[in-house]
Amino acid sequence: MSFPKKPGSKALDVLQNLPRISLANLRPEPGAKKTAPRRGRGQHGGNRSGRGHKGQRQRGNRPRLGFEGGQTPFYLAIPKYGFNEGHSRRPQYQPLSLKRLQYLIDLGRVDTTQPIDLTQLVNARGVTIQPLKRDYGVQLVDEGEDIFAAKIHIEVQRASEGAIAAIERNGGVITTSFYDPISLGIVIKPVPFFLRGQPIPKRMLPGQDMVPYYTDAGNRGYLADCEKIQQARLALAQKYGYILPDISKDELYHMLSMRKDVRQIFFGLAPGWVVNMSEKKILKPTDEKLLKYYSS
Amino acid sequence: MAAPVLCGRTAVLCRTLRGISSSNPCGLLLQTASYNPRPLRLNLSDPYIPDKESDETPAWQKTARYDGKLYGRYGSASGVDPASLWPSHEQLDRVVAEEREWQPTLEEMLRNIELKEKEEAEKRQAKERLIAANMAKMPKMVADWRREKRETKQKLKEDKARREQLLEEARVRFGYALDPRSPKFLEMVAEVEKEEKKKKKLMKRRLKDEQTAAPVTTPADVS
């Protein structure tokens, strides 16, 4: 060219002048797609087409899975025992491994400068929760605790001890809290809830079976004492062999110490408020009875 | 319709992102990738607000719940009184009563849990106490049982020996092996028993005499 060009800008120019990527410009890498062999064609695929010689196999008349030719099959001979009794009534928690959480953080899908809530995880499409299928939230699983290295403030519904240790080792804060099914539906899809025009309900307390779990400091339950949680943090650090970083000296201490109230569903929104999306307004009740109910 | 490249909500998001990255002291670009929020097609320019008086509007569009949805979508343009979004006093009373019945307070639940745990602990301890008591009795019971067994064995042996002895005596007396069930044998047995009784009586009397004689003589000696 006549005029001098900036060094290293040829690639950028090429990139800028190339046409837009579309399906017409894309093609798989040679050798990536291997066509599957077709049955019933050619010397090897033809003749009996991989079905064998005569009988039920070739004629496609084999009996159902588990049938043992008339002998009482295994799945009927073994007597029943209540392993699966009431399985459809048991609460389920979608697992979230630390490996996946680190992946989401690395890709920037989850913002670590703000508290990570179930809403944030669902927005980042990190987990999929189905409240109608007896899902009660998300549980943190220790897979990937050795590679986890992010300081976060996370709130889940259940967490294993290894996961708690991994998060606290990196200077983060973890809390386990309970969302009843209605609150869960609201938390995972806040916008459709706001469009319903209903006041934000208060979160219900866990059932009697789950109260021991959420009042235990070892599980970092949201109903537990703060001092006991601090002691549990120290104990866990001793157990797993790491030095507990001091959060109060952290620059993000204010964010890490943010905690939701027991009855609160969203940060910054109290129960009883109505959020209007079209006018971007929040309406708060003024009646004392309502205020008393929503703050109880 | 010429849709803007960045709809309102994504623009806000980008502004906040830029704000965060500019406030970042390290100087590293905070790369964040988020899913664009779904476009909220509220249809504010052409809202459908059903006519409450008309008979043609279906019944479900005249309910309070639908009013809430109208307000949620259109805001004050829907003409719905926002005060109706909250429960009335009667509804609130009902809700409070229901909650009082079905949702116990945290203190109540903790108390119930404590009670249950105490009960379970009490049951367990009672069982353990019972087991401990029974285990403490075990050596004695074992010794008793062993003694019983020994005694029965011994008795059997003795009986057998006695029977053999009697048979021998009968044989000696009558000269041939006598059947133990025959009357002769039984007579002989009765005789032998009588003799033994007499001997025992004599022994008892002798012992008594010795005892009475012994204390009489000793005080006499002393005095």
Side-chain angles (χ1 to χ4, degrees):
Chain A
M1 297 300 273
S2 48
F3 52 88
K5 275 205 154 170
K6 263 203 328 241
S9 69
K10 269 201 194 150
L12 209 62
D13 286 336
V14 162
L15 211 63
Q16 280 176 342
N17 297 330
L18 274 177
R20 169 184 297 203
I21 280 184
S22 67
L23 282 176
N25 307 338
L26 293 172
R27 168 199 294 209
E29 187 77 13
K33 301 278 182 189
K34 189 170 174 182
T35 48
R38 280 177 71 201
R39 301 278 186 175
R41 303 281 186 283
Q43 181 190 7
H44 302 290
N47 200 13
R48 296 204 198 89
S49 313
R51 293 299 301 245
H53 172 67
K54 283 195 196 176
Q56 284 178 333
R57 290 164 197 249
Q58 193 177 15
R59 293 171 181 143
N61 288 330
R62 273 205 252 210
R64 64 182 183 278
L65 184 67
F67 186 67
E68 290 177 17
Q71 168 184 293
T72 311
F74 173 79
Y75 72 93
L76 289 179
I78 304 297
K80 277 205 217 180
Y81 182 82
F83 292 118
N84 296 336
E85 196 180 322
H87 74 283
S88 59
R89 286 172 218 245
R90 289 186 204 150
Q92 299 179 9
Y93 297 91
Q94 182 73 5
L96 174 69
S97 62
L98 288 169
K99 185 172 153 201
R100 177 135 176 94
L101 188 56
Q102 184 64 58
Y103 172 79
L104 295 169
I105 292 168
D106 290 339
L107 290 178
R109 274 153 71 164
V110 154
D111 191 5
T112 48
T113 58
Q114 296 296 323
I116 297 177
D117 196 14
L118 189 55
T119 324
Q120 304 306 316
L121 286 169
V122 169
N123 285 352
R125 313 296 193 274
V127 289
T128 306
I129 309 287
Q130 298 170 300
L132 296 174
K133 297 285 178 194
R134 274 74 64 191
D135 273 356
Y136 271 64
V138 87
Q139 57 173 326
L140 216 50
V141 165
D142 348 347
E143 182 185 341
E145 57 177 349
D146 41 345
I147 50 164
F148 190 76
K151 183 172 69 174
I152 50 170
H153 175 43
I154 189 161
E155 191 201 52
V156 287
Q157 279 64 58
R158 273 182 112 84
S160 66
E161 205 184 40
I164 298 175
I167 294 192
E168 291 183 348
R169 193 185 306 148
N170 293 306
V173 171
I174 175 166
T175 321
T176 47
S177 59
F178 174 79
Y179 287 90
D180 59 288
I182 300 178
S183 310
L184 192 70
I186 294 170
V187 153
I188 57 172
K189 292 188 177 169
V191 173
F193 170 73
F194 295 142
L195 289 178
R196 270 177 245 163
Q198 287 170 18
I200 298 175
K202 45 180 198 185
R203 238 201 295 174
M204 289 295 136
L205 289 168
Q208 207 165 302
D209 306 322
M210 295 205 229
V211 163
Y213 183 85
Y214 289 108
T215 42
D216 191 6
N219 303 327
R220 309 292 185 272
Y222 73 130
L223 298 169
D225 273 338
C226 297
E227 301 97 46
K228 289 205 186 129
I229 288 184
Q230 190 55 32
Q231 286 164 14
R233 281 165 63 93
L234 289 164
L236 200 69
Q238 281 199 333
K239 178 173 174 181
Y240 277 77
Y242 58 87
I243 307 166
L244 189 67
D246 197 2
I247 302 179
S248 45
K249 307 257 179 359
D250 206 322
E251 54 182 6
L252 290 169
Y253 175 61
H254 176 70
M255 185 275 284
L256 291 173
S257 58
M258 276 167 84
R259 291 257 308 224
K260 276 190 205 172
D261 182 51
V262 172
R263 298 286 199 181
Q264 201 183 5
I265 298 183
F266 296 110
F267 275 120
L269 293 175
W273 293 359
V274 171
V275 173
N276 188 243
M277 300 292 288
S278 55
E279 289 173 348
K280 298 192 174 56
K281 285 203 183 131
I282 296 180
L283 310 178
K284 305 180 191 180
T286 49
D287 186 29
E288 305 108 34
K289 254 184 129 172
L290 281 171
L291 285 168
K292 193 170 145 228
Y293 168 71
Y294 282 117
S295 59
S296 63
Chain B
M1 142 170 122
V5 171
L6 287 174
C7 75
R9 280 155 73 202
T10 39
V12 170
L13 191 67
C14 292
R15 254 179 273 139
T16 45
L17 285 173
R18 257 178 258 140
I20 287 168
S21 48
S22 61
S23 64
N24 196 336
C26 334
L28 289 168
L29 254 187
L30 204 78
Q31 297 286 334
T32 46
S34 61
Y35 285 87
N36 284 336
R38 204 156 163 235
L40 251 190
R41 301 199 200 282
L42 290 171
N43 212 11
L44 290 166
S45 53
D46 184 24
Y48 169 71
I49 299 183
D51 189 11
K52 292 284 159 64
E53 279 79 39
S54 151
D55 283 329
E56 279 184 0
T57 55
W60 57 273
Q61 286 182 5
K62 299 179 193 169
T63 52
R65 193 197 279 211
Y66 190 78
D67 283 341
K69 288 191 187 169
L70 276 177
Y71 188 85
R73 267 181 95 89
Y74 305 122
S76 45
S78 65
V80 170
D81 181 23
S84 66
L85 299 172
W86 283 273
S88 66
H89 280 224
E90 295 81 29
Q91 284 171 330
L92 190 64
D93 289 333
R94 257 181 274 148
V95 163
V96 166
E98 198 191 316
E99 247 177 65
R100 208 176 299 140
E101 192 189 340
W102 293 109
Q103 311 275 358
T105 58
L106 192 60
E107 291 85 21
E108 230 179 281
M109 283 198 278
L110 287 169
R111 250 181 285 141
N112 288 349
I113 290 165
E114 250 194 74
L115 275 169
K116 259 198 211 155
E117 273 178 23
K118 239 192 258 179
E119 221 182 281
E120 269 177 71
E122 191 48 53
K123 257 198 215 169
R124 206 166 17 112
Q125 274 164 3
K127 203 171 171 187
E128 278 176 17
R129 260 179 265 141
L130 182 70
I131 291 170
N134 288 344
M135 287 307 284
K137 277 197 253 168
M138 268 317 261
K140 183 167 168 299
M141 283 167 74
V142 164
D144 281 344
W145 181 79
R146 285 200 180 136
R147 188 165 39 83
E148 289 281 328
K149 282 274 163 181
R150 242 198 335 258
E151 280 176 6
T152 42
K153 249 196 205 170
Q154 214 157 358
K155 227 174 142 185
L156 277 168
K157 266 196 223 161
E158 278 175 14
D159 279 340
K160 213 173 168 188
R162 249 184 88 74
R163 285 175 67 81
E164 299 267 308
Q165 221 184 5
L166 286 167
L167 270 171
E168 273 298 314
E169 239 190 274
R171 220 184 131 173
V172 158
R173 275 214 204 158
F174 299 108
Y176 58 91
L178 201 48
D179 194 25
R181 289 168 286 184
S182 60
K184 275 193 192 168
F185 184 76
L186 291 168
E187 279 171 29
M188 193 212 75
V189 164
E191 276 175 36
V192 162
E193 275 189 11
K194 260 196 203 167
E195 281 169 27
E196 280 201 11
K197 266 193 196 170
K198 275 187 193 164
K199 266 194 217 166
K200 267 192 194 166
K201 269 197 182 168
L202 280 167
M203 289 290 289
K204 264 194 195 170
R205 237 189 247 165
R206 233 185 265 170
L207 272 167
K208 257 198 200 166
D209 289 336
E210 274 178 20
Q211 275 187 350
T212 43
V216 164
T217 48
T218 40
D221 285 341
V222 167
S223 66

